Amino acid sequence: MPRYFTSEHEWIEVEGSSATIGITDHAQEQLGDIVFVEVPGPGTTLAKGAEAAVVESVKAASDVYSPVSGTVSEGNAALADEPSLVNSAAEGEGWFFKIELSDPGELSDLMDEAAYKDFLVELG
Amino acid sequence: MVPFAGYSMPMQYEGIIAEHLWTRTHAGLFDVSHMGQLTVDGSEATGALEALMPADLAALKSGRVRYSLLLAENGGILDDLMVTNIGKDGEGPFRLVVNGATKHDDIAHLRANLPDAVGMACHFDHALLALQGPEAAAVLDELLPGIADDTAFMQAVSRDWNGTALLICRAGYTGEDGFEISLPEESAAEFADSLMADDRVKPVGLGARDSLRLEAGLPLYGHDIDTSTDPVSAGLAFAISRRRRDEGGFPGSDNIARMLAESPPRSRVGLLLDGRVPAREGAGVSAGGEVVGQVTSGGFAPSVESPIAMAYVRDDVAKSGTEVTVNVRGRELPARVVDMPFVPHNYRRQGGK
């Protein structure tokens, strides 16, 4: 399954017309200890770039923007009880939400893993 | 690393929660060299400083430390600080430790207001290390034998360490037992390394410094106190010594005396929130559908394992146990007013605990 990345440090894994979205390991490292995550509920319609989720670390609250447009099919309920999953497994069990893509063409704007790695190197 | 008060400082090392919990159970080492260290001396130093702050310095014995406030003419708070008498009983010289972000303003304020006969030295070439936690005394005692028994909370002593003069004050900003150690910058790294060589010590960054002081109920200047707040509303009336209340003669003393007599229209309280969503600075506090105050600092408290906050609220809801709500991202989250500190202080006071 292809996995894409954004310059806002989100990952999106696509399977057919569905996708799973989370924040990258780099992002969780920058945020530090995560104490609360608010994910969108099923049926939420998100436009590309819209506020989709909120991550609260000990330090501060951060918004997570949807990298694509679509309708949310599921939020990760496990994060309610165990927000630290985002720290321990940002790019796995710590996923945020699943979405039905309304415009798969938007994926072409995103980075693949190699491009994201280069992007991180550039950030220093 | 983050910019803070003109310095590049570590936000965290291992992680804020781990560093926080380590400090509550072992010993955390903080580099707080950004703070301003000043010495005020001269035959008129006591009276000159008393004209700027409400502490009873005439009664401050040698080697004793007081928390005090630099006050504006209206009683607003210019800064909070620690004053140590490093000389003779009631006479000084006095060592002042002020906030890093306000130190240049404080120095200008002191220069403008201290008479010529009073000298002031700014120790920009001195580092300040804080060793905090229940094991801090045992750790420091290995480097400086006897220090654990020779000092109690809010006492200071001078010590020599391998030819370096240390000024050690048993106080801190975490609610735990601990020390703040002032020393020349050229010796700071070696001294810090000696502390770090002890397995009970881990380095702690600004993030945990903030969460520790929040749990301890200690205000942060520029957030919980500033020129728009006064000592009485801020719950810092303890910093106004008995003699000074009676005699006045410090900036804003008339305003402050009135507030002490009448109780202030709003006061700084602790809030314990339900759930896990932290409320941050600026969040509105409501009761009975009415906005009654505002959060001045807040976050997730690692030892309490809950979100907590400090807020200024209207007098009628300031009582402990009052149910309120806090507005976070458009939602009213249930919370209640609680006594501070959120975590009991663990100071080692004179004569045992």
Side-chain angles (χ1 to χ4, degrees), chain A residues 33-102:
Chain A
D33 296 319
I34 288 163
V35 296
F36 175 78
V37 182
E38 185 176 312
V39 294
T44 308
T45 311
L46 294 171
K48 181 180 174 173
E51 280 177 26
V54 178
V55 189
E56 294 267 9
S57 71
V58 180
K59 280 184 269 180
S62 310
D63 291 316
V64 174
Y65 303 98
S66 185
V68 289
S69 307
T71 303
V72 175
S73 58
E74 186 185 355
N76 187 355
L79 297 183
D81 290 332
E82 210 180 338
S84 61
L85 275 178
V86 181
N87 289 122
S88 57
E91 300 189 22
E93 279 180 272
W95 58 275
F96 276 37
F97 60 96
K98 294 181 193 291
I99 193 167
E100 286 299 316
L101 302 174
S102 59

Side-chain angles (χ1 to χ4, degrees), chain B residues 143-165:
Chain B
L143 287 190
L144 306 167
I147 195 80
D149 290 333
D150 292 351
T151 54
F153 181 57
M154 296 301 256
Q155 295 182 359
V157 292
S158 298
R159 276 281 195 282
D160 176 273
W161 178 74
N162 297 345
T164 296

Side-chain angles (χ1 to χ4, degrees), chain B residues 123-174:
Chain B
H123 307 292
F124 294 124
D125 58 352
H126 272 55
L128 191 66
L129 299 173
L131 185 68
Q132 301 278 302
E135 293 180 344
V139 168
L140 195 60
D141 205 68
E142 301 228 347
L143 287 190
L144 306 167
I147 195 80
D149 290 333
D150 292 351
T151 54
F153 181 57
M154 296 301 256
Q155 295 182 359
V157 292
S158 298
R159 276 281 195 282
D160 176 273
W161 178 74
N162 297 345
T164 296
L166 311 176
L167 177 62
I168 299 150
C169 170
R170 195 156 189 174
Y173 196 43
T174 60

